Every structure is written in structure tokens, then in C-alpha cells.
Amino acid sequence: MAHITIDGQIVPFEAGQTVMEAAMAAGVYIPHLCHHPDFTPHGSCRQCTVTLKAGWNITACTARAAEGQEISNNTEELNLVRKRLTQMLFVEGNHFCPACEKTGNCQLQGVAYHLNMMSNHYPQFYALREVDATHPDILLDRNRCIFCNLCVRASHAEGKDVFAIAGRGINKHLVVNSESGKLIDSELTADDRAANICPTGALLVRGKAFQAPIGQRRYDHHDIEEVTLGGSHGG
Amino acid sequence: MESFIDETLKKYQHQTTPLLMVLRDVQAQYFHIPKQAVELIAKGLDIPRTQIVAVVEFYHFFSFEPRGRYDIFLSDSITDHMLGKKALADYLCTKLQTPLGTVRADGVVSIDNTACTGLCDQGPALLVNGYAIGQLSEQRIDRIVVLIEQNCPVTEWDSDLFEVYDNIQQPGLLLNTKLPRGAALTAAWQRGLTETLDDIKASGLRGRGGAGFTTAMKWASCRATEETERYVVCNADEGEPGTFKDRVLLNSYTHDIFEGMTICAAILGAHKGFVYLRGEYLHLFNKLNAVLEERRAAGLLGDNILGYGWKFDIEIRLGAGSYVCGESSALLESLEGKMGIPRNRPPSSIIKGYLAKPTVLNNVETFVAAAHIAWQGSEWFASCGTEKSKGTKILSICGDCERPGIYEYPFGTTLKEVLKDCGADDVLGVQVGGPSGTFVSTRESDGRLTFEELSTGGAFIIFNHSRNIFDIVQNFTHFFAEESCGFCTPCRVGTSLLKKQFDKIHSGHGSAGDIKELRDIAKLIKDTSHCGLGQSAAEPILTTLERYPNLYERQIKQQYSFDPVFDLDGSLAVARKMSGRDDGHAHLTQVEKK
Ligand SMILES: Cc1cc2nc3c(=O)[nH]c(=O)nc-3n(C[C@H](O)[C@H](O)[C@H](O)COP(=O)(O)O)c2cc1C
Ligand code: SF4
Ligand code: SF4
Ligand code: FES
Ligand code: FES
């Protein structure tokens, strides 16, 4: 079978598979935020950046595996890059994690733990972001949105197209498909995949908040690597 | 409004791909995009309203907030600044009583900045309701102000205000040769289309838009695809600040461009082509369409081109202010009526381009060169240039020199020769390739213009010793932060962080660790960004850090180990006022002594 190597480990792949897919199947964790096995790769968070032996970087979620590729993944250098990218997400939005209804069931937090992130490193942007609490069953807190596009992709797949990411550059923001721009006037319902897929606490189905006390939360005792490879992908 | 939207949608045959054209018409009619228009367009085209909202918020020239009936955008390129933009902008704003970035209370006028408008050789420039006015001076501004205060429609303003000069200073192989209408097409058919492709291959022609991909290879791969529907797209986005050579080609070598596109179409088997014209070149839109009409009438476009039985036509689509739309896949997204977000590769647009069909996308100059090669043969073209960079390159030269304008050079020409020809005696450095290119100092003036050595899509900005490198780098760094499409984390957040970090050092607040941090952010953006914009956004900082480390060191307050990004004491002002205190304990010192 055709194979690539990741940090020296032989990883078989099938024609057409991405590096991420091959790695996951072989039990190799490559940090990621915008990737989800059920949806078309997006390639925006850059968390899954890996280095080819040839010297340049690719994103594992979008690049196809090719025979003989030698890939570095779990290196100090790349993990620092990933930590910085994660810190960028933390300063760009407003993440008050201890008070967040997601109670630690958050992949952004999970990745931050995994990368040993101890501070924000960069200056905070203090962006003004709108909260949409109009929907009886779903809360949208844009302060926590990391533009992974998963809700957009999920809602598109459901034929509802409730979400889109609008704007340019640092002014990007999530918009809702309704005349008022509010969730309550949209077609979103709590059982939509789109309402449940958010890797952070930006989109939350109500009534599920603060379910786990600190100390018993998803990533308190298990690294996101273990959780992801174990198959219980958040959302 | 319903009837206006209805008519507009009809004008574009209810297609969704020309959404930018639809929105341009709406913006021109109402001076903003009314929410009701969004609803009507969404319904009329049967697309999610979020697509329209996303597009409106993405492009500079669309706005949900009402703009003035005279909507002014000042070109904010470094070259505009070198020609006195700041003072003239202040003059204009004062005369019109409209501060920069605002709409006047009576709704008559609004003034804002925008990126380079492609008039660097005849700046400072502005756009009024989309139309470019160059060579700004107090006198010209006085005239503009009078016209606005008299409520005179822009269409009735004196045409000399809108005059744009070609400014061809030194023509060469291409610019000196007049291509007779249809001559290249006839030659191509007589020689045979496959043979013509072979000839283009033999000529060694490489893309003139910057990346330098071999043109014949692109065409051949597209031709080899299984699909039956293919497209030809001409990249006339020319957004790289300091580049204006496509403007001149579009204006005066229009037939050559269309002829090159038609030959390409015949070789590929494409029946439809597009010119994606940057919104800033609205002044060329009617002219391009008139030439298309002329060519249809002459049988050079249409159902049976020159009687050879080939069917091909070209449509001009305008952008709406976005630099990243010059990137090929972002351009295709835009052409499909979406935000200009670069796509993931593979597949390349040669395989899945416009509407996921095989597409050849080339720069304006590439099509001109291809037409001339089809007519005059590969040897004529390959006789000049270097081994790996054949033919000539058209440069747009601006900045500190006596004769800015258009120059055509064989590849391999040295920087020194170029500087001499345009009359630049006092040279601190040259920005070759625009902000995304390289800052070259005079120590490197033996460097040659080739794809391998000093590569440029056309931009060649000269700075003399009175210029401050930090001001230049700042202008470029802000430009990239403003133009980042925001898709990927390192470019979206990183370019804003880089801007803050650079400004901190520039304004004298940098401390010991800040240069390292600047370099680290720059490298991260370069190494991990999704597209060419992000990958080159930090170049101005990285290349000057490398060439002028002392300059940066001198900006640093060596005595301090740390200086926060914001004004600590200033932040306490409100608290002091509220508590009525002003004693020593109510103040904070900004810096920590080493
Ligand atoms: C951010 C960015 C902006 C670009 N802008 C332009 C442009 O304005 N005009 C252009 O021809 N190419 C531009 N390019 C290069 C195009 O992506 C593409 O390589 C080129 O148009 C292909 O044509 P060519 O092979 O004829 O050069 C840009 C690339 C990037 C990454
Ligand atoms: S709301 Fe959540 S799922 Fe949607 S883009 Fe933001 S972070 Fe991603
Ligand atoms: S590098 Fe910048 S412009 Fe390119 S995709 Fe990323 S955010 Fe957009
Ligand atoms: S997981 Fe690959 S870019 Fe986000
Ligand atoms: S903890 Fe991450 S968004 Fe709430």
C-alpha cells in the first residue's frame, strides 16, 4: 500500500486521501480546528500546518497524501507555530473561558492545553462582537467565534444556509440568514447539525450549559489528542 | 426600488455570477446598498441573502451605510504620499468641510481612503463616484469643490479633469509594433492552432502577472482536460500598488489583448472569455466595450470568427475594490459573484476554474505578448531577453525620478540602466514588484530584471534619500492589513498584529524585545498563510530588517526592558476624574527600567 511518513512513522494512505485523513486513520494526531471528517476541507485555521522534507509547509487537511512524502508534524518548531496561531485566535475574539457555558467542552481550549499555552502572548484586540440571544433554543455569542466555517458548511449541507462569514480582514464576522439578521427569524432549529457543530462556545444549544464541573470536563484529564483519536469528536 | 432591481437583474439576465455588477449599479443609484435591495436581489436570483451581505461587506466600494452623492476615495499609495497627498487631502477635506472617513451631514459628499488607483505616474489621485481624477493640485481641487457645491452631476464635469495619460516613455519590442487587426488570428489559423501553441512554447513566454508560470504549459494542460466547456480569463485587476502598465495596455493596445484572448480560446476550445477589470479602472469600461463591439462587427468575435467557424465572445466584468481579487482563484470567486477568497489547491484553476470548468487565466500583458508571438513568430520574441526570461517586460516606473511612466525592457536589463533612463540620480532604493516585492538598495543596482533575479509584475517605485524607509514600510504594512481577505488566521490576525507592532516601534515606543517579536510575527505570517497575499505581506518588514537592521535598532528605547502597547497612565484618566484624585498613587509610569 502506498504510504507517507509522519515524523518517521509509516502512514499508509488510499488514493485521494488527504494527509489529515491518512494520519487520523493511522492514529497520528495533527492539531486542527477547522477540519471535520464529515465536511469538505476548509484550510483556514492553519493549525494543521506540517512541513514537507522539501522544506515548505502544507496544511494537512487540504493537501493530498502523495507517495513517499516525508512529513514533520509533532516538532517543537511546529508546535510553537500552532501555539502562536491559537494565541492569535484568543486575542482576536473575547474568550472568558472560566465563565463560558461550553464548560471546557471546547476544542479551542483543548488545543490550547495540548500546546501548553500559558498566556495570550499577543495584545488583546478587545473587539466589539454582537451576541444574538433571540432564539429560544440556541445562543450565538460571536465573541467566541474563530471562523472555522463549520456551522456554515453544516447548514449548507442541510440545505438551509443559515450562516455565512462576511466582511474582510480583521472585521470578519458571522452573519445569519434572516431578514432581521437575527437567529430567531432564521430557519435554524436546535436539532440542526449546524447548531451543534461549533468547536467553541460560539454557537450553543440552550439547556446544555455548565454541564460538567471544573475537574470533570472533557479536556481536564484527557488531552485533545486522545479525545480526537478516540473518536468522540466534539460536536 | 422594485422596478429598478428588476431592471438591473434583467440587464444581467438574472445570472448570479455578475452579482458585483448588479451591486455596483445599486450602489451607484442609491449611494449605498439598501437592505430592501438585498432582499429583492436574493429573491430575484434565488441565492441566500447572506451571500449578498458577505459580498457587500467584502469589497471597498460597497456600503450598507449611505455614502455621499459625491463619493470620494483618495488614493493612498506611497507614491500619492510622495506627491503631496496628505496636504492635498487636508485641503480637500477642509474645503468640503468633510473630515476624512466621514459623510457630510447633508449627505452630499463623503471622503475616504482607498488603495492605489493605478495613477502613480500622474498622482495624487482620487476617485469620484468611481471615476479617476489624477494630477491633483489645489487648483484642480478648487474646481472639483465648485462642481460639487453646484450640484453638477459627475457626468457633466469637464473631461480634462478625467484625462488619464498613457505616458509611454520608452517603447520596445511590443509597444513599438502595431498589430494589424486580425493579423495574429489569421496567422494562427494559417499556421494551425497546435503549431501556434508550439510557437508560444518555443517563444519561452512566461506569465507577466508576477508568478512567471510558462504560458504554453498552462494552455496545453487546459486544452488536455476532458471537459467540453472551458473559459479564458484576462486578469486586469492590476492591484499591486505602483503598477499601471495594464492600464496603458487596456487603453491603447486593447485589440492586442482581445486578439490574444481569442487565440487562446481557439487553442483551448473555449467559447467565452472574461476581462476582470479592477473597479478603479471604471474609466476604461465603456472604451473596452466599444472595442468589443467593433470587433464583433468586424467578425473578429462572435459566432464565426473570420469565417473559420470558431465561436467566441468576451465580457467585461468590473471588480469593486479588493487587492486580493488579483490572485487568480480569488478572482474567479469574484467573477462568480462571491467574496474574493483564494481557493484551496489542488485542483488548480486550469482543471477547475470558473464555475469549476477548466480555465486559463493570464495577465493582460501575457495576452498581448501571445498575440504578437502568434503573428510574428517565436524567434522574433525570443531574440531578446535571457535564457530563462525571454522577451521584454513592461515596467511602470514611478516615484522619485524625472520621467515616470511606461518603459519596456528586454529581460536582463540592469537596475542601473533603468534608473539612468528615467532620470533618477538620487536613489535610496527601489521597491521592485510593489509592496509584495523587494526593497532593493543602490548597492544592488547591478541586479538584473529577470524572473530569477529581480522579478516584478511591473511595479518599480523609486525613493530618493529624503524618503524615510519607515514611512514606506508602514504604508505597505497597513495596506496588507487592510487588504487581507481574512480567511486564514495568520494573515487575518497576523497582519493586524504586525501593523500594531510596527507602529509601536515606529512611534518610538519599542523596547528591547520588540524587534524580535516583529520578526517572529512576520515569519509566522509568511510561513503559514493560505495565499500569496499573506505570504508576502511581511516582506517589506523582513527585507528592510535584513538590509537596515541599524535603522530598527535606533528606533528602540534601549533603556527600557518593556513598554506596554497602550498608555497605562492615560487609561487611568477616567478613574482619576471619577474619584477626584490626582495624587502620586493615582498615576502609573509607562515603562519599566532595565
Ligand atoms: C495577492 C495577489 C494579487 C495578485 N494580483 C494580480 C494582478 O493584479 N494582476 C495579475 O495579472 N496577477 C496578479 N496576481 C498573480 C495571479 O495570481 C496570477 O498568477 C496571474 O494573473 C497569472 O497570469 P500570468 O501567468 O499571465 O502572469 C496576484 C497574485 C496575488 C497572490
Ligand atoms: S460560530 Fe462556531 S462553528 Fe460557526 S464559524 Fe464560528 S466558531 Fe466556527
Ligand atoms: S493569506 Fe490573507 S489574503 Fe490570503 S487567504 Fe489568507 S487571509 Fe486571505
Ligand atoms: S485544520 Fe487544516 S487549516 Fe484548519
Ligand atoms: S471555552 Fe472556548 S469558547 Fe468557551
Side-chain angles (χ1 to χ4, degrees), chain A residues 90 95-98 100-104 106-109 144 199-202:
Chain A
F90 271 95
H95 298 268
F96 304 103
C97 294
C100 175
E101 297 89 334
K102 192 85 174 172
T103 25
C106 167
Q107 289 178 44
L108 181 64
Q109 250 194 41
R144 302 167 187 155
T200 75

Coordinates of all heavy atoms in Angstrom, one line a residue, chain A residues 90 95-98 100-104 106-109 144 199-202, ligand 5:
Chain A
F90 N -7.2 33.6 20.3 CA -7.6 34.1 21.7 C -7.6 35.6 21.8 O -8.5 36.2 22.4 CB -6.7 33.5 22.7 CG -7.2 32.2 23.2 CD1 -6.8 31.0 22.7 CD2 -8.2 32.1 24.2 CE1 -7.2 29.8 23.2 CE2 -8.7 30.9 24.7 CZ -8.2 29.7 24.1
H95 N -12.5 35.6 24.8 CA -12.7 34.3 25.4 C -12.5 34.3 26.9 O -11.4 34.4 27.4 CB -11.7 33.3 24.8 CG -11.9 33.1 23.3 ND1 -12.8 32.1 22.8 CD2 -11.4 33.8 22.3 CE1 -12.7 32.2 21.5 NE2 -12.0 33.2 21.1
F96 N -13.6 34.4 27.7 CA -13.5 34.3 29.1 C -13.8 32.9 29.5 O -14.9 32.6 30.0 CB -14.5 35.3 29.7 CG -14.3 36.7 29.2 CD1 -15.1 37.3 28.3 CD2 -13.2 37.5 29.7 CE1 -14.9 38.5 27.8 CE2 -13.0 38.8 29.2 CZ -13.9 39.3 28.3
C97 N -12.9 32.0 29.3 CA -13.1 30.6 29.4 C -13.8 30.1 30.7 O -14.7 29.3 30.7 CB -11.9 29.8 29.1 SG -11.3 30.1 27.4
P98 N -13.3 30.6 31.9 CA -13.9 30.1 33.1 C -15.4 30.3 33.2 O -16.1 29.6 33.8 CB -13.1 30.8 34.2 CG -11.9 31.3 33.6 CD -12.2 31.6 32.1
C100 N -17.4 30.4 30.5 CA -18.1 30.1 29.3 C -19.0 28.9 29.5 O -18.6 27.9 30.1 CB -17.0 29.7 28.3 SG -17.6 29.1 26.7
E101 N -20.2 29.0 28.9 CA -21.2 27.9 29.1 C -20.7 26.6 28.5 O -21.3 25.5 28.8 CB -22.5 28.3 28.4 CG -23.2 29.5 28.9 CD -22.7 30.8 28.3 OE1 -21.6 30.8 27.8 OE2 -23.5 31.8 28.3
K102 N -19.7 26.6 27.6 CA -19.3 25.4 27.0 C -18.6 24.5 28.0 O -18.3 23.3 27.7 CB -18.3 25.8 25.8 CG -18.0 24.7 24.9 CD -19.0 24.5 23.8 CE -18.5 23.4 22.8 NZ -19.6 23.1 21.8
T103 N -18.3 25.0 29.2 CA -17.7 24.3 30.3 C -16.6 23.4 29.8 O -16.6 22.2 30.0 CB -18.7 23.5 31.1 OG1 -19.8 23.2 30.4 CG2 -19.0 24.3 32.4
G104 N -15.6 24.0 29.1 CA -14.4 23.2 28.8 C -14.6 22.2 27.7 O -13.6 21.6 27.2
C106 N -14.5 22.4 24.8 CA -14.2 23.4 23.7 C -12.9 23.0 23.1 O -11.9 22.8 23.7 CB -14.1 24.8 24.4 SG -13.3 26.0 23.3
Q107 N -12.9 22.8 21.8 CA -11.7 22.4 21.1 C -10.6 23.5 21.1 O -9.4 23.2 21.0 CB -12.0 22.0 19.6 CG -12.8 20.7 19.6 CD -13.2 20.3 18.2 OE1 -12.4 20.4 17.3 NE2 -14.4 19.9 18.0
L108 N -11.0 24.7 21.1 CA -10.0 25.8 21.2 C -9.2 25.7 22.5 O -8.0 25.7 22.5 CB -10.7 27.2 21.1 CG -9.8 28.4 21.1 CD1 -8.9 28.4 19.9 CD2 -10.6 29.7 21.2
Q109 N -10.0 25.5 23.6 CA -9.3 25.2 24.9 C -8.5 24.0 24.8 O -7.4 23.9 25.3 CB -10.4 25.1 25.9 CG -10.4 26.2 26.9 CD -11.3 25.8 28.1 OE1 -11.2 24.7 28.7 NE2 -12.1 26.8 28.6
R144 N -16.8 34.4 20.7 CA -16.1 33.1 20.8 C -15.9 32.5 19.4 O -15.4 31.4 19.3 CB -16.8 32.2 21.7 CG -17.0 32.7 23.1 CD -18.0 31.8 23.8 NE -18.3 32.4 25.1 CZ -19.4 32.1 25.8 NH1 -20.3 31.3 25.2 NH2 -19.7 32.7 26.9
P199 N -16.9 24.2 17.4 CA -15.9 23.7 18.2 C -15.6 24.5 19.5 O -15.0 24.1 20.4 CB -14.6 23.8 17.3 CG -14.9 24.9 16.3 CD -16.4 24.8 16.1
T200 N -16.2 25.7 19.5 CA -16.0 26.6 20.7 C -17.4 26.8 21.3 O -18.4 26.2 20.9 CB -15.4 27.9 20.3 OG1 -16.4 28.7 19.7 CG2 -14.2 27.8 19.4
G201 N -17.5 27.8 22.1 CA -18.8 28.1 22.7 C -19.5 29.2 22.0 O -20.4 29.9 22.6
A202 N -19.3 29.4 20.7 CA -19.9 30.5 20.0 C -21.4 30.2 19.7 O -22.3 31.0 19.8 CB -19.1 30.8 18.7
Ligands
FES5 S1 -14.1 27.9 26.4 FE1 -13.5 28.2 24.4 S2 -15.1 29.4 23.6 FE2 -15.8 29.0 25.6

